[in-house]
Amino acid sequence: MRHRLIRQHAVVLRRTAALAAIAVLGAIAACSGGGGETTSAPVPAAPVPPVVPVVPPVVPVTPDPVPATGAAWLSYGGDAHHTAQASVKTQALNRIVWQTPVDLAPQYSPQGYLLVHYGSPVITARNTVLVPVKRGVADTFKVEARAGASGVLAWSVDSDFISPAHNWMPAYNITLTKNNRIVMPGAGGKVLYRDDADAAGATTNSLVFYGSSAYNANKAALDASVFINTPITADNAGNLYFGFIANGTPNAAGLSSGIARIGADGTGSWVSAPTASGDPSMSKPAMGAAPAVSLDQKTVYVVVKSAGINGQLLALDAATLALKSKTALVDPFSLTNSRISEDSTASPMVGPDGDVYFGVLEPVSNQHNARGWLLHFDATLATSKTPGSFGWDDTPSVVPAAMVPGYTGTSTYLVMTKYNNYGRAGSGDSKNRIAVLDPNASMADPISATASVKVMKEILTILGPTPDPSFPGGVTEWCINTAAVDPFTKSILVNSEDGFLYRWDLTTNTLSQKIRLTSGLGESYTPTAVGPDGLVYAINNAVLFSVGL
């Protein structure tokens, strides 16, 4: 978000409800029977009342739950490549089926903004929704398992996870493996897990990538000095990858900040960021950047950064964490180092052809209207390809080309990104859009100051529908960091800071459905996800909403 607060409507709604209630009461009084005169005249026999059919009151019919026939939503971005693809047709956005808080004590800024990234729900193939929940004012967390059809709580477990030092609060993300193990970050760099995410009676266990004996011998010291700082990614075999921060030189386990791997058999290994990159200035993994796994499962892509703004994208051997290749993350306009923000959730995304995408910020503040860039590389990272014109706090989603009937290009897939143009940032006009881009075609950058850069061609864009009260002529921001794509309805599910969840229909290039979740506010960007029954999940104002028929 770029710190704009949407006008609240609570007072208006309360007054409207009160007036409606008065009107109803008046109608009832007008239809009631009045008193009659007393008379000595004979009272005629009461007539036989006519037979009046009994008409039951009209009660809204709640549709039967849709069967769960789709695949699991495994992680942030849906899978280990972060492509955000739904495996089943999404339900119509008719109603809020159920909702539950993801933060029991939201902390708002003095201006009313919510600068907290919330973790994505993950959903099993048997339709259990696993929800990361912040459970207090402090950064403390738990995981709740809820029935997808109803939201009824099945089980809950507290985590001892401690967040690393931060500005905006980073997301607490959880992950499902292909064999239905739920894995959750814990304190001291350990991973908590339950072998059957659907089973209320499953036991919660832990794995430590540097060894349980080392952790148990120095638990307090390591809890205070070692912190998982990225989402956990699981490959097809159940191997886990994540970044961690290790403070103190030396610390009790002899760790340096870097990348960890825990094999499906429980064997742990790690490599420091300087060693992984071959560059002593690369001191840690980028906060919030989930590792991504290649299509052949042999490579894991991670982002590391220096103590300053710059960073590198690394391709590591998925089995050994040895460096295979790397590339600097360079700003396409200035040709200097891009800014890797610690407030971002942007993560590498691996496309269906193996290409790798990663969103960055421009190094000179507002030079690109605070939009950043979507950098684009081949699978080996040897070739830098056409960038996209937006990258800030966004992981692109894959859009099969067949979802856009009017597309005539040669690409087999397109990418969807946020495309806000932030008011008061450079030349930004608050004409905030979302976009579908062709990664293999180009055009001049739409921002005049950087028009010399060739960027991914816009195939479709759509403007937000709600006026921005703080910027005349503008519209409120799209509030999304990974958007669920539904190939079956040729649509994309997107959150907005106006408090609505929208369906973007790519056939008509319209916002064909919407549902109000809240009255809206300025907040850190949030994900959408899809359950195996087609229910759509969205987060707004610290609440997870399940939306469908």
Side-chain angles (χ1 to χ4, degrees), residues 126 128 154-155 180 194-203:
R126 293 176 62 186
T128 299
W155 59 262
N180 208 40
R194 293 164 68 101
D195 275 330
D196 185 350
D198 297 299
T203 302

Side-chain angles (χ1 to χ4, degrees), residues 69-408:
T69 59
W73 192 272
L74 298 172
S75 62
Y76 172 83
D79 58 34
H81 316 306
H82 309 139
T83 59
Q85 298 287 290
S87 62
V88 66
K89 179 181 178 180
T90 55
Q91 297 183 28
L93 307 182
N94 288 357
R95 66 186 179 102
I96 296 170
V97 178
W98 57 270
Q99 64 189 70
T100 188
V102 295
D103 191 339
L104 304 186
Q107 299 298 295
Y108 299 90
S109 75
Q111 298 79 23
Y113 306 129
L114 188 55
L115 304 180
V116 179
H117 279 300
Y118 294 112
S120 173
V122 299
I123 309 155
T124 72
R126 293 176 62 186
N127 207 16
T128 299
V129 182
L130 291 307
V131 186
V133 179
K134 178 173 167 284
R135 53 190 171 94
V137 173
D139 298 358
T140 55
F141 301 90
K142 64 178 177 178
V143 175
E144 295 179 343
R146 295 183 174 273
S150 65
V152 171
L153 183 68
W155 59 262
S156 175
V157 62
D158 288 351
S159 171
D160 62 354
F161 176 77
I162 300 170
S163 294
H166 57 269
N167 180 30
W168 293 7
M169 198 185 85
Y172 180 73
N173 273 296
I174 58 179
T175 300
L176 279 169
T177 67
K178 287 290 184 75
N179 66 355
N180 208 40
R181 172 182 281 186
I182 180 68
V183 295
M184 308 161 277
K190 69 177 178 289
V191 171
L192 308 175
Y193 71 93
R194 293 164 68 101
D195 275 330
D196 185 350
D198 297 299
T203 302
T204 303
N205 298 300
S206 65
L207 296 166
V208 184
F209 69 89
Y210 53 89
S212 294
S213 58
Y215 174 72
N216 292 331
N218 300 278
K219 181 180 184 302
L222 291 166
D223 283 352
S225 60
V226 182
F227 310 91
I228 294 175
N229 78 327
T230 74
I232 300 169
T233 298
D235 67 14
N236 288 348
N239 303 307
L240 309 178
Y241 307 90
F242 54 91
F244 66 93
I245 298 292
N247 295 331
T249 308
N251 52 58
L255 300 172
S256 298
S257 299
I259 308 300
R261 178 187 188 274
I262 300 178
D265 63 357
T267 302
S269 59
W270 65 278
V271 61
S272 71
T275 299
S277 63
D279 184 341
S281 73
M282 295 292 111
S283 59
K284 58 184 177 179
M287 181 91 81
V293 178
S294 64
L295 302 180
D296 65 5
Q297 306 289 297
K298 294 181 179 179
T299 304
V300 59
Y301 297 98
V302 300
V303 180
V304 294
K305 71 181 298 288
S306 70
I309 68 168
N310 60 303
Q312 297 176 1
L313 177 61
L314 312 181
L316 304 181
D317 185 282
T320 66
L321 300 183
L323 180 65
K324 298 173 74 171
S325 57
K326 67 176 182 177
T327 185
L329 297 170
V330 174
D331 179 82
F333 177 69
S334 67
L335 303 182
T336 60
N337 290 319
S338 297
R339 179 181 296 275
I340 310 303
S341 171
E342 296 282 83
D343 292 333
S344 176
T345 58
S347 298
M349 187 276 282
V350 179
D353 56 357
D355 280 7
V356 184
Y357 302 79
F358 181 67
V360 299
L361 268 175
E362 62 263 37
V364 178
S365 181
N366 298 332
Q367 186 177 62
H368 197 227
N369 299 354
R371 294 158 60 95
W373 306 92
L374 179 62
L375 303 185
H376 177 197
F377 308 94
D378 75 334
T380 69
L381 308 184
T383 302
S384 180
K385 298 188 174 185
T386 303
S389 186
F390 192 101
W392 158 240
D393 197 4
D394 189 65
T395 302
S397 304
V398 167
V399 178
M403 284 182 59
V404 185
Y407 177 66
T408 58

